[in-house]
């Protein structure tokens, strides 16, 4: 997201990027999370797990392309003193197929955008489509460094936990960076917690996104589908007109529902 004041400010001062690290899972001792066991896995090496996970994620990515679903997006800015919403962007879209069998998007609800302190950017929309519902396929694996952290119980699931981040950042490309939980039985991603990188801190072009957590559910008894994302953090923009700060508390909720095979 960008601060719309940047479009009119002269001179345009450099931004010191500082995302709130109080991510939705920062309190990882929260309900449902067991202790992290750093001991190595028993039956497979971490490298074998990552390879098999990539294969399963590839199968899932191909399968998800054959599903229709509803995508609900709500982006709020919150007043720092009261915590109340002071601006909102909302859109509900049905992701379907047209009569020729091609992907199509039908917007079914889009009230007036009341965001004033930030503006939605192409990076935000790209994040909603590609990184919030994170899928790490065999094709994408070479782009990432994936490090085994251990085993952890999440609700009723036994998971492997990995740290993932880009090996090399290519120009005009964005990546996921954070933690990935992989179901030990299905070897598929069931939870991610991280942020989009890199974030644009160029003078006059600041484009920031808060950290996010995405939850997955087993929809059809075979694959784990992303169903709910919460992104929240304090975005630190350059202060304007003598103000002490220009921090924006931003919260996004994205839901993916009504999955049906086409």
């Amino acid at each position: 997201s960008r601060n719309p004041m940047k479009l009119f400010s002269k001179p345009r001062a450099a931004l010191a990027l500082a995302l709130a690290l109080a991510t939705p899972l920062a309190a990882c001792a929260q309900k449902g999370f067991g202790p992290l066991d750093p001991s190595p896995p028993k039956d497979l090496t971490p490298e074998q797990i990552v390879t098999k996970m990539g294969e399963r994620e590839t199968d899932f990515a191909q399968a998800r392309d054959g599903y229709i679903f509803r995508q609900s997006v709500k982006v709020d800015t919150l007043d720092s003193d009261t915590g109340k919403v002071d601006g909102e962007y909302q859109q509900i879209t049905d992701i379907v197929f047209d009569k020729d069998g091609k992907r199509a998007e039908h917007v079914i609800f889009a009230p007036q955008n009341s965001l004033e302190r930030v503006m939605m950017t192409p990076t935000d929309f790209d994040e909603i489509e590609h990184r919030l519902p994170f899928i790490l396929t065999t094709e994408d694996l070479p782009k990432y460094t994936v490090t085994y952290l251990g085993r952890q119980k999440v609700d009723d699931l036994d998971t492997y936990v990995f740290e993932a981040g880009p090996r090399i950042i290519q120009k005009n490309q964005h990546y996921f960076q954070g933690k990935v939980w992989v179901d030990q039985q299905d070897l598929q991603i069931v939870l991610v917690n991280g942020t989009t990188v890199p974030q644009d801190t160029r003078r006059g072009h600041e484009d920031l996104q808060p950290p996010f957590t995405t939850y997955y559910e087993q929809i059809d008894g075979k694959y784990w589908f992303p169903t709910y994302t919460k992104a929240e953090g304090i975005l630190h923009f350059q202060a304007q007109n003598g103000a002490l700060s220009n921090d924006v508390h931003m919260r996004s909720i994205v839901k993916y529902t009504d999955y049906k095979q086409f």
Side-chain angles (χ1 to χ4, degrees), residues 107-262:
V107 177
I108 62 172
F109 182 67
Q112 181 69 33
N113 180 5
S114 63
L115 291 176
E116 294 183 351
R117 295 193 290 146
V118 297
M119 56 188 289
M120 298 291 285
T121 68
T123 302
D124 295 323
F125 292 111
D126 181 61
E127 180 182 66
I128 289 168
E129 183 176 356
H130 295 293
R131 282 175 302 286
L132 301 187
F134 186 60
I135 302 172
L136 190 53
T137 65
T138 299
E139 181 182 358
D140 290 331
L141 274 175
K143 302 174 186 176
Y144 285 87
T145 297
V146 183
T147 305
Y148 177 77
L149 298 180
R151 294 175 288 174
Q152 189 171 32
K153 188 92 167 180
V154 181
D155 291 331
D156 293 330
L157 297 178
D158 293 310
T159 70
Y160 300 116
V161 188
F162 293 89
E163 186 80 32
R167 291 180 185 272
I168 299 174
I169 293 178
Q170 301 284 349
K171 186 178 181 181
N172 299 324
Q173 297 295 312
H174 291 88
Y175 306 86
F176 169 84
Q177 182 168 303
K179 290 183 179 179
V180 176
W181 284 257
V182 176
D183 180 72
Q184 291 185 20
Q185 180 176 331
D186 294 330
L187 296 179
Q188 240 195 286
I189 292 173
V190 293
L191 178 71
V192 299
N193 175 233
T195 189
T196 287
V197 294
Q199 306 224 355
D200 196 339
T201 61
R202 292 175 302 155
R203 183 174 298 177
H205 297 271
E206 298 93 337
D207 194 355
L208 311 179
Q209 289 75 38
F212 63 87
T213 302
T214 298
Y215 300 84
Y216 299 66
E217 293 180 43
Q218 200 171 40
I219 297 296
D220 56 4
K222 188 175 182 181
Y223 295 113
W224 290 82
F225 287 73
T227 55
Y228 178 88
T229 294
K230 181 177 182 180
E232 186 165 1
I234 308 296
L235 306 182
H236 299 281
F237 293 98
Q238 179 73 20
Q240 300 290 324
N241 302 323
L244 294 178
S245 70
N246 192 15
D247 291 352
V248 179
H249 185 174
M250 183 172 166
R251 179 181 65 208
S252 303
I253 301 291
V254 183
K255 299 177 183 178
Y256 312 89
T257 60
D258 301 329
Y259 281 106
K260 295 181 180 67
Q261 200 160 12
F262 178 65

Side-chain angles (χ1 to χ4, degrees), residues 32-159:
F33 284 82
L36 179 67
D37 176 5
S39 62
K42 294 180 179 178
D43 301 323
L44 298 168
T45 66
E47 293 76 18
Q48 289 172 325
I49 293 170
V50 170
T51 298
K52 290 179 179 292
M53 180 267 294
E55 293 169 354
R56 287 286 291 151
E57 290 286 289
T58 299
D59 291 343
F60 166 62
Q62 294 170 349
R64 188 173 187 253
D65 285 342
Y67 279 75
I68 61 175
F69 59 95
R70 175 164 290 181
Q71 177 178 283
S72 304
V73 179
K74 185 164 72 169
V75 179
D76 293 324
T77 54
L78 290 81
D79 183 271
S80 59
D81 294 323
T82 66
K84 293 182 178 180
V85 173
D86 59 16
E88 184 169 272
Y89 166 88
Q90 191 172 3
Q91 182 168 290
I92 300 177
T93 308
D94 280 342
I95 312 298
V96 296
F97 292 91
D98 63 19
K99 58 183 176 60
D100 297 321
K102 295 181 180 178
R103 274 286 193 203
E105 297 184 3
H106 292 166
V107 177
I108 62 172
F109 182 67
Q112 181 69 33
N113 180 5
S114 63
L115 291 176
E116 294 183 351
R117 295 193 290 146
V118 297
M119 56 188 289
M120 298 291 285
T121 68
T123 302
D124 295 323
F125 292 111
D126 181 61
E127 180 182 66
I128 289 168
E129 183 176 356
H130 295 293
R131 282 175 302 286
L132 301 187
F134 186 60
I135 302 172
L136 190 53
T137 65
T138 299
E139 181 182 358
D140 290 331
L141 274 175
K143 302 174 186 176
Y144 285 87
T145 297
V146 183
T147 305
Y148 177 77
L149 298 180
R151 294 175 288 174
Q152 189 171 32
K153 188 92 167 180
V154 181
D155 291 331
D156 293 330
L157 297 178
D158 293 310
T159 70

